[in-house]
Amino acid sequence: LACSNTSSSGSSSSSPGCVRVASGSSLQVRGADIVIERLDLDGALEIRVVPGASLKVESLTVRNRGHELVALTAEEQADPSVPEELRIRGYRLVRHETEVIA
């Protein structure tokens, strides 16, 4: 992961840092004062802080199995015991692995 938030004049930028989220990854951020400067995510990450707290992520790489969308089988689609919202959606979310920072 190569990126920079330094302008051509050499001064530091106040723009967001370098954040890469791979296709199929899941990032959930809960909190009012969270700053992410550098993140390389391939999988699932949840960041949360309690009200009044702050968090600065200077550099973080996360690699895990993450989450997967799994299509319902024909039997599951026809099964009335499967929740209606899943049958309408046609898939379920399977959470294999999530890195949590709290």
Side-chain angles (χ1 to χ4, degrees), residues 13 31 33 35 54 57 66 68 73 83 87 92:
S13 168
D33 193 10
V35 176
S54 64
V57 178
E68 178 182 11
T73 64
R87 289 183 281 133
R92 72 177 71 247

Side-chain angles (χ1 to χ4, degrees), residues 57-96:
V57 178
E58 292 182 352
S59 182
L60 178 63
T61 299
V62 174
R63 301 260 186 277
N64 60 36
R65 291 182 60 207
H67 304 160
E68 178 182 11
L69 300 177
V70 177
L72 297 181
T73 64
E75 293 79 24
E76 289 173 313
Q77 287 281 8
D79 185 348
S81 70
V82 173
E84 182 179 20
E85 65 270 13
L86 289 180
R87 289 183 281 133
I88 291 170
R89 192 180 307 139
Y91 64 88
R92 72 177 71 247
L93 179 66
V94 177
R95 297 173 191 267
H96 295 292

Side-chain angles (χ1 to χ4, degrees), residues 9-61:
S9 66
S11 64
S12 186
S13 168
S14 63
S15 66
C18 183
V19 175
R20 185 189 78 81
V21 179
S23 175
S25 293
S26 174
L27 173 61
Q28 185 176 39
V29 179
R30 295 182 189 183
D33 193 10
I34 299 173
V35 176
I36 301 173
E37 290 186 348
R38 296 178 68 86
L39 172 64
D40 185 6
L41 173 61
D42 188 359
L45 172 64
E46 179 181 349
I47 299 173
R48 60 180 180 241
V49 297
V50 297
S54 64
L55 176 67
K56 181 177 181 181
V57 178
E58 292 182 352
S59 182
L60 178 63
T61 299

